[in-house]
Amino acid sequence: MIDSRTSPDTPRARTLCLFTGTLAAFAGAERATATLANALAARGHRVHVLSLWGDTPVFDLSPGVVHHAMFRERVAFRHHYVPIVRQVRRYVRAHDIDVMIDVDPMLALYTLPATFALPLRRIAWEHSTYASDLGRRARRWARALAARRYEAVVVLTDADRDAWQAHHRHARAQFVTLPNPLGIPIPDTAPAPAGERCILAVGRLVPEKGFDRLIDAWARIASDAPGWQVSIVGDGPLRDDLLRQAQALGVADTVHVLPAVANIAQHYARASIYCLPSRRESFGLVLIETKAYAVPVVAYAADAGPRALLRHGVDSLVVDDGDIAGLASAMRQLVGDAGLRRRLGLAGYAHARHFRADAIAARWEALWDAAAPALTEAR
């Protein structure tokens, strides 16, 4: 058997650096970074993850991935700007990095001066929708720099690719749509329906994730769904608020707020329905992960990510954003129809297979493979 890492059809091994804020947080961008790093290492590349802070990643990295954090704890980075730029430059030169991937375009503010005149390929990886600039002028500047000075900007949906193109008409960068890789192993066959009557939601306990909207909708149907429970898995500042809301609405005995875990697959395996009540969602990696376990989805069409990933009536039930009654009705429909849950779940499982980490990593290789002659000459 030919080793895929040495196959003539496989791009030659490169030395890559994923530059990120941290890997010490339970969040989608961090999970996607760890997953891509592992997948690229498995394909024979020399992979580094350089973090601004956090010595200990919360997601497992393979032995082929080197992780280095510049600071043990989070600091006021604006007060450490010059030292960070110097550290990045030393790291890139010491390890002879071929390709620098900024896991947030904001990092271009460090990467561009740090890699000035160095022969490497720069790629920015955007995990937010273009509209989500968080009101920060620095983010807009960083995006403009990445568009003008980088070889590629990777976004998660075609809608965001179109937004980048519309706002940066004279860009040097190529704008490329690449979905996040599936962060958990996909079962070889579609799992059987879960025995537990559980409606699952996963994410940071922050307003954008809309878990308050899930509790509102659940309170409308809980009395019609005996034996069913809602499990919200995540960490964040709204934990106590959500528990108080459930108490006030009389559903505290059926709503559970559980801590975030690295092994999130254990929750998908027990779920019968997944709910995405987000107010804003750039991609929604949890949607692909839950589909990998053949769990049907009910969701708001709140943003580009869910609209791109969900197919109403095929693998999910999608309702208008903010329609609490509609969300409650969709959950009631799934609770009461095991056949519908299974049909949607099987379609979702088939869709999730397209997001396997190795397949997504192969598409990333194409971004820098086009620049192979230039990189070779520069070396």
Side-chain angles (χ1 to χ4, degrees), residues 2-320:
I2 297 175
D3 188 328
S4 63
R5 293 173 298 179
T6 59
S7 167
D9 296 328
T10 301
R12 76 171 179 83
R14 298 203 177 278
T15 304
L16 316 170
C17 182
L18 288 93
F19 182 27
T20 185
T22 188
L23 286 185
F26 286 105
E30 286 75 11
R31 179 186 291 276
T33 300
T35 301
L36 182 62
N38 292 339
L40 290 169
R43 293 178 66 82
H45 300 287
R46 299 171 293 275
V47 181
H48 297 254
V49 178
L50 179 62
S51 297
L52 287 176
W53 67 275
D55 288 336
T56 306
V58 298
F59 302 108
D60 290 337
L61 295 175
S62 73
V65 177
V66 176
H67 176 253
H68 174 74
M70 286 181 270
F71 298 91
R72 183 180 298 274
E73 304 291 340
R74 189 164 190 162
V75 299
F77 297 115
R78 65 181 179 275
H79 299 312
H80 295 79
Y81 180 77
V82 172
I84 290 172
V85 170
R86 288 174 175 167
Q87 284 194 63
V88 173
R89 188 172 183 85
R90 282 197 298 268
Y91 195 92
V92 168
R93 297 183 70 180
H95 297 283
D96 204 26
I97 301 299
D98 287 319
V99 182
M100 191 78 167
I101 301 171
D102 291 350
V103 180
D104 183 333
M106 276 288 289
L107 295 170
L109 298 174
Y110 301 108
T111 296
L112 274 174
T115 60
F116 177 75
L118 296 182
L120 81 171
R121 188 161 170 78
R122 303 178 191 89
I123 299 172
W125 188 8
E126 176 68 272
H127 290 268
S128 299
T129 60
Y130 195 87
S132 301
D133 64 12
L134 306 180
R136 298 176 65 182
R137 185 180 301 172
R139 180 170 290 276
R140 294 192 288 272
W141 288 345
R143 283 174 167 173
L145 286 172
R148 287 183 173 273
R149 301 295 299 276
Y150 279 33
E151 281 73 26
V153 174
V154 172
V155 298
L156 300 177
T157 66
D158 288 341
D160 275 305
R161 182 196 60 199
D162 294 344
W164 274 83
Q165 290 174 338
H167 285 85
H168 303 281
R169 296 187 180 279
H170 303 291
R172 172 197 178 194
Q174 177 186 8
F175 301 122
V176 180
T177 303
L178 276 178
N180 278 336
L182 185 62
I184 56 177
I186 187 167
D188 292 334
T189 58
E196 299 185 23
R197 297 179 174 184
C198 173
I199 299 173
L200 176 66
V202 176
R204 284 277 296 161
L205 306 182
V206 293
E208 290 80 6
K209 296 300 181 181
F211 296 129
D212 57 309
R213 307 200 293 183
L214 166 57
I215 294 173
D216 279 345
W218 171 246
R220 299 188 181 203
I221 69 164
S223 61
D224 300 327
W228 283 79
Q229 306 278 320
V230 170
S231 291
I232 300 171
V233 179
D235 296 329
L238 295 186
R239 182 179 188 278
D240 291 343
D241 290 344
L242 295 173
L243 291 173
R244 281 193 292 268
Q245 179 189 5
Q247 182 73 39
L249 293 175
V251 291
D253 59 333
T254 58
V255 173
H256 309 283
V257 182
L258 307 174
V261 293
N263 180 23
I264 191 62
Q266 63 183 295
H267 289 289
Y268 296 133
R270 292 197 293 265
S272 293
I273 298 169
Y274 188 88
C275 181
L276 187 95
S278 297
R279 292 180 169 87
R280 189 172 66 209
E281 195 72 53
S282 59
F283 182 71
L285 182 59
V286 291
L287 297 175
I288 302 302
E289 292 178 344
T290 197
K291 284 183 178 186
Y293 278 79
V295 180
V297 175
V298 57
Y300 281 133
D303 220 328
R307 289 196 296 269
L309 294 176
L310 298 176
R311 298 165 294 175
H312 177 68
V314 177
D315 54 26
S316 56
L317 298 181
V318 183
V319 300
D320 292 338

